Amino acid sequence: MPGNPGGLNQWHWVYPNLNSMEALDWGIDQLILSAQEYGWDGVRFDGDFTWVSGEEVAARNQRRMKERIWAKLPAFVFGYNEGYGPSDSDPVTWGHGLRESLAGGAHWMNEGIGFGGGKWGYSTTGHYATYEEYWRRVSKEADLIRKTGASYNFIYGVKKDVRGFYKFILGTAAGVHPEYGDSAVVPGCTNWGRYLTRWSAFVWDTNLRNRPDADAEIKSSVPLWHAVKERVADEKTKNTIVHLIVPPSETKVEVDGVQVGAPAAQVAVRAHIPASERVVRGAVIAPEHPDEPFEIPYTREGDWVKAAIPEVKSWSMVVFECSGAFTPPTYPKFTEPPDAEKVKESVASNVVKLSNDPLKAEKEEVNAGKQVINVAGLYLAGGTVEKDPAASNGSCLRIDKKDQGVVVTHAIFRGLTMGHYRVTCRAKLKAEKDDDGISASFHLSCYIPLRGTAYVALRGVDLNVKEWTYDDFKSIGKYEDFSGDFDFLGDSSQINALVRWNGNGVVYLDTITFERLSSYTDIQVIKKLDELGGRVVSAAPEFELGKQGGGRNILVINGLYHDSYHIPEALARLGKVIDVTPEPKEVKEGAEHPAKPEAKPPPAKMNANAGEVCVNYVTVDATEENNTLSGYPEKFEELCKYDAVILINADASWFQLQGRIRLRDFVKAGGGLLVLGGNFSLGQGQFSGTFLEDLLPVTVAETKDVQPSEKPLPLKPGKSLAGSLPADLWKDPACLYWRHIVKPKTGVNVDLLAGNEPVLFSGGFGKGRVVVFTGTVLGEPVANEQPFWQWNGWPQVMGRIISWLAQRNP
């Protein structure tokens, strides 16, 4: 989780000591439990699983993870994200940790090839220049990975154009799997997914091996690119596959206007197949006839087989099936055991520093409003990484005229709240002239894509916060800071800074820094959006919720660990529970982006009869960029169908500005609201300065506010709601371990205490009622202690509170 206390709703960044077998096994156990609970078929790590203390420790950890998980889940698979392709050396020379990761059929996913703008990267800084260079190198990479028993995967980042078409077919012919549904936008086939699934053995089978190009001779009306592969299917069957590619009209990948080359006619294929292998059949497979192969006649000439192909439109596979005696390759599930002495030495010499506890303030948070990224460490960047002692970390990004366009992307700043910011780029001009002697004359810009949904009419706009040219540098050969201020008004908690370049000259770019100068409240944001011409849903007119029917209608926002709060059991005490949560709409077949389903429709029923409790559970859609609520009412009138809303460990940013306005007006009109604490709630969840804080009977901190108690705190009834419950309920004490530190507002009721500390507060807002529980389900019991979330009385307490909240127009 990011260290910025102002925005804690992003990824958890926790660095446990994985030198410790106890910590390692605990993490492995969580993977097993999660897979058993949710039915996962595998897990994909963003990088390596446990890259600590060198190769042998990493190999030990990887091996132990596979052994323990496969003992419970034999078919479980593992994947790893990387920003590059593998080394072109023999796989047996690769690091032991990497080899252990891949052994047993893992997936290597290359992000740098295209993620973040359709790039063609083969390393952290290098990029392919030509289509053929791309094809040949990727083909070799895929072959090396297959030899380990693993598979190669790309985030292609393709567009629906000819350039994207070639990137996809050349990568696929090389043996790469597409990730993220890239095939849905690629032209050239009526259904790439169906086609490649049908013929996957000839493009993705682990047993495929590259053969020399000289093992095939091609003659045709126009030149064709070709590659030869073979696949031993079993002891009696082998396939020889000749890929035929119509070259593009342009060789360089950056040239616009590329077209598919002219189709090749009268194609003669001559493939080397030893006479000891009997050819059973020959066929042509191509995306223009995706379902059936075209059988082709062939003749044998000693160790060669000849066949004629009528036409190659773009990409065709000529496949010869042979019978004989063959030895299929084998793939060990594990590499050699880790060297015990090296493991011991590495653990002893590498002390792991634990950091980034999401519940603990760090020393670095003294300056928590500032985040710094060294651009030389970004794998999705143009330019060239160079050593430079004057740079912050000893290296910088060298940008010159060959790096036209966006040269820095994926410079992601997370955990941001709405406010006024300053972005600073640290850069220096190398010389008055570039390496070719041309006078420096360039345009360098820092852009901020503003996609926060509070913008509405303004969303999707790139804010050019700073531009500078040769004349802006005060000196040559020295780093200078170039800063620009801007307002961040969106509800996204992430910004991805971009740096664009064009012209002549050489610039060294060192760091990009974000600094929050001040935070904005919801009211301030609305005012600023109004000044910018943005459109914000105004507050609802004076409105009063109508009389309710005999039952109760409840909206529940499920955050992390929601099941531990046992709200369904509490609701069952109010009547017969009817789950009216709608299912997401099905994605239509052939949709351009099938990976993103449509939003949930409003519930069909939300009018509980006497003795019924209709419940709609809303979930959080968590992405790298932002977290949003799926199923939260988009209109005030829809929200008013409910009697009460329950927030379980929910972050204020999930609702976005419009959603917070609706919730405020709902309570003001007579609705009930229950807020339950947690590591994403209250101060941890950016409530400060928002309309949600206005509703609460307490004031919350602007920073991390969850703290452990010095000792377990037994729950005790207060003077109001909880005190009206049976006295016997409190004879079996339940304990609280972590709680939010808040300040009660004037005139609120304290309904529950933990020790002598108030932890359950109730009050009013407008015509509605609000209750907040500042306890959390964090912490572990000792000896015979009973945590409150395992206490039989907890559902009774919650049921009593929800019943009180759901009474309209009190």
Side-chain angles (χ1 to χ4, degrees):
M1 177 180 289
N4 180 359
L8 299 176
N9 68 324
Q10 282 297 323
W11 291 7
H12 281 283
W13 298 100
V14 179
Y15 299 95
N17 180 8
L18 294 180
N19 284 331
S20 164
M21 296 303 289
E22 182 180 6
L24 177 68
D25 284 344
W26 186 90
I28 295 170
D29 286 341
Q30 302 316 299
L31 290 174
I32 295 171
L33 291 171
S34 178
Q36 291 174 333
E37 175 75 16
Y38 297 105
W40 308 128
D41 295 315
V43 60
R44 191 182 76 197
F45 298 101
D46 196 14
D48 301 289
F49 167 49
T50 65
W51 197 257
V52 293
S53 304
E55 290 283 352
E56 292 306 305
V57 177
R60 177 202 69 177
N61 291 356
Q62 297 278 2
R63 185 186 185 102
R64 188 169 182 87
M65 175 182 68
K66 293 191 296 184
E67 287 174 339
R68 296 195 66 227
I69 291 181
W70 281 340
K72 299 280 187 180
L73 306 164
F76 204 74
V77 294
F78 302 92
Y80 306 88
N81 291 20
E82 300 291 354
Y84 51 87
S87 163
D88 60 1
S89 60
D90 190 322
V92 299
T93 68
W94 295 352
H96 194 183
L98 175 60
R99 289 189 289 110
E100 188 62 65
S101 299
L102 298 177
H107 306 276
W108 176 319
M109 192 181 81
N110 183 338
E111 287 191 3
I113 194 68
F115 186 63
K119 294 184 178 298
W120 296 68
Y122 58 78
S123 69
T124 54
T125 57
H127 295 80
Y128 292 106
T130 69
Y131 291 97
E132 190 166 16
E133 174 199 14
Y134 160 73
W135 185 31
R136 301 300 181 188
R137 181 163 177 162
V138 169
S139 184
K140 184 175 183 181
E141 291 175 350
D143 195 58
L144 292 171
I145 290 174
R146 283 193 298 266
K147 288 178 180 178
T148 71
S151 63
Y152 202 22
N153 304 260
F154 276 3
I155 300 179
Y156 276 103
V158 293
K159 297 181 179 179
K160 196 173 184 178
D161 57 15
V162 175
R163 186 184 299 175
F165 169 74
Y166 270 105
K167 187 176 188 180
F168 181 77
I169 67 165
L170 292 173
T172 307
V176 174
H177 296 249
E179 294 274 355
Y180 293 3
D182 282 305
S183 59
V185 301
V186 178
C189 182
T190 55
N191 190 320
W192 280 110
R194 179 176 174 179
Y195 171 66
L196 293 172
T197 300
R198 174 70 175 86
W199 307 113
S200 60
F202 305 132
V203 288
W204 297 327
D205 194 314
T206 308
N207 290 0
L208 282 166
R209 293 292 181 270
N210 289 357
R211 286 174 50 180
D213 290 348
D215 279 357
E217 298 173 354
I218 312 299
K219 294 182 180 180
S220 63
S221 60
V222 296
L224 291 171
W225 292 343
H226 78 272
V228 188
K229 300 179 188 295
E230 69 178 26
R231 165 184 174 260
V232 177
D234 52 46
E235 288 81 0
K236 298 180 179 180
T237 309
K238 185 168 82 171
N239 305 121
T240 295
I241 304 107
V242 181
H243 292 271
L244 303 174
I245 305 284
V246 173
S249 61
E250 298 285 348
T251 59
K252 295 183 177 180
V253 297
E254 75 271 13
V255 175
D256 292 325
V258 63
Q259 299 296 320
V260 178
Q266 300 174 350
V267 181
V269 177
R270 189 168 181 261
H272 183 267
I273 300 177
S276 59
E277 301 175 12
R278 185 172 68 86
V279 179
V280 177
R281 62 188 295 209
V284 175
I285 299 166
E288 60 265 24
H289 48 89
D291 296 315
E292 297 296 332
F294 279 174
E295 298 281 343
I296 54 173
Y298 53 86
T299 58
R300 178 176 276 285
E301 296 177 350
D303 287 339
W304 293 80
V305 174
K306 291 178 61 177
I309 314 301
E311 182 182 44
V312 176
K313 291 186 176 180
S314 57
W315 167 36
S316 294
M317 291 184 284
V318 180
V319 181
F320 296 103
E321 181 180 326
C322 302
S323 64
F326 308 108
T327 304
T330 58
Y331 307 100
K333 300 180 71 173
F334 305 98
T335 63
E336 72 277 11
D339 187 306
E341 286 301 316
K342 289 183 178 179
V343 168
K344 185 177 180 180
E345 291 173 6
S346 294
V347 170
S349 61
N350 290 276
V351 179
V352 177
K353 178 184 177 183
L354 302 182
S355 63
N356 289 355
D357 186 335
L359 300 172
K360 182 180 178 182
E362 305 289 344
K363 292 181 179 179
E364 291 77 4
E365 288 182 6
V366 173
N367 196 20
K370 181 181 289 188
Q371 299 181 41
V372 182
I373 288 180
N374 186 291
V375 298
L378 296 174
Y379 69 83
L380 293 177
T384 303
V385 174
E386 286 194 1
K387 298 291 184 181
D388 184 2
S392 301
N393 289 338
S395 60
C396 65
L397 196 67
R398 182 186 190 276
I399 307 170
D400 59 28
K401 60 187 176 183
K402 73 177 184 297
D403 302 307
Q404 304 292 324
V406 178
V407 292
V408 171
T409 185
H410 221 57
I412 298 175
F413 296 86
R414 295 188 174 94
L416 306 180
T417 56
M418 295 180 290
H420 189 64
Y421 285 80
R422 176 170 295 157
V423 60
T424 301
C425 293
R426 185 171 187 260
K428 72 177 177 182
L429 179 64
K430 180 184 179 184
E432 294 183 4
K433 296 182 178 181
D434 67 13
D435 295 346
D436 296 327
I438 300 174
S439 296
S441 175
F442 55 80
H443 180 90
L444 198 60
S445 306
C446 181
Y447 281 76
I448 306 298
L450 298 176
R451 297 188 175 89
T453 52
Y455 275 90
V456 187
L458 303 177
R459 65 188 301 185
V461 176
D462 280 0
L463 176 66
N464 189 353
V465 295
K466 185 66 183 179
E467 296 183 9
W468 61 94
T469 65
Y470 170 82
D471 296 328
D472 290 314
F473 283 86
K474 298 176 182 178
S475 60
I476 295 176
K478 293 183 178 180
Y479 280 105
E480 302 175 41
D481 288 338
F482 297 87
S483 299
D485 295 2
F486 66 95
D487 284 335
F488 178 52
L489 307 178
D491 277 305
S492 169
S493 57
Q494 172 178 305
I495 287 181
N496 183 6
L498 307 176
V499 176
R500 295 173 179 169
W501 156 274
N502 62 65
N504 296 307
V506 178
V507 167
Y508 287 148
L509 189 61
D510 181 16
T511 59
I512 300 176
T513 301
F514 263 39
E515 183 177 8
R516 187 180 66 246
L517 305 180
S518 62
S519 297
Y520 291 148
T521 65
D522 280 353
I523 293 176
Q524 290 173 316
V525 169
I526 291 175
K527 182 179 178 181
K528 287 187 171 292
L529 286 172
D530 184 60
E531 294 171 353
L532 292 170
R535 179 170 55 85
V536 179
V537 174
S538 61
E542 285 300 321
F543 184 84
E544 184 175 294
L545 297 186
K547 299 292 183 180
Q548 63 191 165
R552 297 290 183 266
N553 302 301
I554 308 296
L555 177 68
V556 179
I557 311 298
N558 278 334
L560 193 64
Y561 312 132
H562 63 85
D563 53 335
S564 296
Y565 291 83
H566 299 288
I567 293 302
E569 292 93 322
L571 293 172
R573 303 187 68 83
L574 276 64
K576 179 183 178 182
V577 176
I578 302 174
D579 188 343
V580 297
T581 307
E583 294 293 329
K585 291 182 178 179
E586 293 293 331
V587 178
K588 296 179 181 179
E589 187 175 355
E592 187 168 308
H593 300 287
K596 187 176 182 179
E598 296 182 39
K600 293 180 180 178
K605 177 182 179 180
M606 191 45 68
N607 186 20
N609 298 317
E612 293 180 342
V613 182
C614 287
V615 187
N616 178 19
Y617 292 99
V618 171
T619 57
V620 178
D621 289 336
T623 67
E624 181 180 357
E625 295 183 357
N626 198 19
N627 296 324
T628 57
L629 294 173
S630 175
Y632 183 73
E634 297 181 357
K635 296 180 180 179
F636 177 67
E637 294 79 6
E638 294 175 359
L639 188 57
C640 288
K641 295 178 182 179
Y642 298 95
D643 300 305
V645 176
I646 302 174
L647 311 187
I648 309 179
N649 195 16
D651 193 296
S653 71
W654 298 350
F655 296 83
Q656 303 173 349
L657 177 60
Q658 313 286 6
R660 294 195 292 272
I661 292 174
R662 290 194 291 277
L663 188 54
R664 177 201 63 183
D665 293 345
F666 163 75
V667 176
K668 185 178 179 181
L673 175 66
L674 172 60
V675 178
L676 300 175
N679 58 330
F680 283 114
S681 186
L682 301 176
Q684 308 277 127
Q686 308 182 59
F687 275 57
S688 179
T690 70
F691 292 131
L692 296 191
E693 185 184 30
D694 295 344
L695 299 171
L696 300 179
V698 296
T699 300
V700 301
E702 295 183 9
T703 182
K704 295 179 180 178
D705 62 346
V706 172
Q707 295 182 15
S709 59
E710 293 183 0
K711 59 182 180 180
L713 302 175
L715 293 187
K716 298 186 295 186
K719 296 180 180 180
S720 185
L721 296 177
S724 65
L725 292 167
D728 290 346
L729 193 67
W730 309 98
K731 291 182 179 179
D732 186 17
C735 294
L736 175 70
Y737 303 92
W738 291 69
R739 76 279 190 231
H740 296 265
I741 305 302
V742 299
K743 182 179 180 181
K745 295 179 181 177
T746 303
V748 306
N749 295 316
V750 174
D751 303 303
L752 197 64
L753 298 106
N756 295 319
E757 294 187 27
V759 292
L760 186 68
F761 305 87
S762 62
F765 183 84
K767 298 182 178 70
R769 295 175 170 184
V770 181
V771 173
V772 59
F773 174 64
T774 58
T776 74
V777 293
L778 301 171
E780 293 189 54
V782 178
N784 295 322
E785 291 171 359
Q786 178 179 225
F788 77 87
W789 58 89
Q790 295 177 4
W791 172 44
N792 291 334
W794 179 248
Q796 294 186 52
V797 173
M798 286 291 100
R800 177 71 181 89
I801 290 168
I802 296 168
S803 177
W804 179 77
L805 286 171
Q807 298 175 35
R808 290 188 173 187
N809 300 319

